[in-house]
Amino acid sequence: MRSNKVRALASTAALLAIAAGTLAASGSAVAATPERRQTVVTGPASATEVVNLGLSTELAKRVQLVLADQWGYYGAIDGALGTQSWISMQRYLRVYGYSGALDGIVGTGTIKALQRALSAQSYYSGAIDGIAGPATRAAFTAFASDLPMD
């Protein structure tokens, strides 16, 4: 009878040792796992690109102020012409023949309409080619320089 109790006790001790070893191993494995950091998205989870076309931050803020006042821009006046700024600019450029999507992408159609707008206001005299080259950038800078500061 005593041998049965010893066997049972030995079996129980062995099971406890195995369990303890498993727990200890898993505990060290968890401890060795590098900590994962989570990124918290506080705004839209889409890529936005800033396209100031040569404007300084201060001149881009002037453009944003006019867009906010007249063309439905509701973003920050931060001097970074991002997607929302360009969507409002595309809304304005419809007056000058922009017929593309209001998507904020500064592509050939947006640049052509910008060139037409700048040409109509005597800031640009180059080709309406959809290329934001030095003449287009200089004209956009001159245009923005003439906008009110507030």
Side-chain angles (χ1 to χ4, degrees), residues 5 7 17 19 25 30 44 47 49 80 117 123 130 142-143:
K5 286 184 181 180
R7 279 190 206 138
V30 170
E49 184 176 351
Y123 289 102
F143 166 78

Side-chain angles (χ1 to χ4, degrees), residues 36-47:
R36 291 186 185 186
R37 296 179 186 229
Q38 293 182 346
T39 303
V40 177
V41 178
T42 58
S46 63

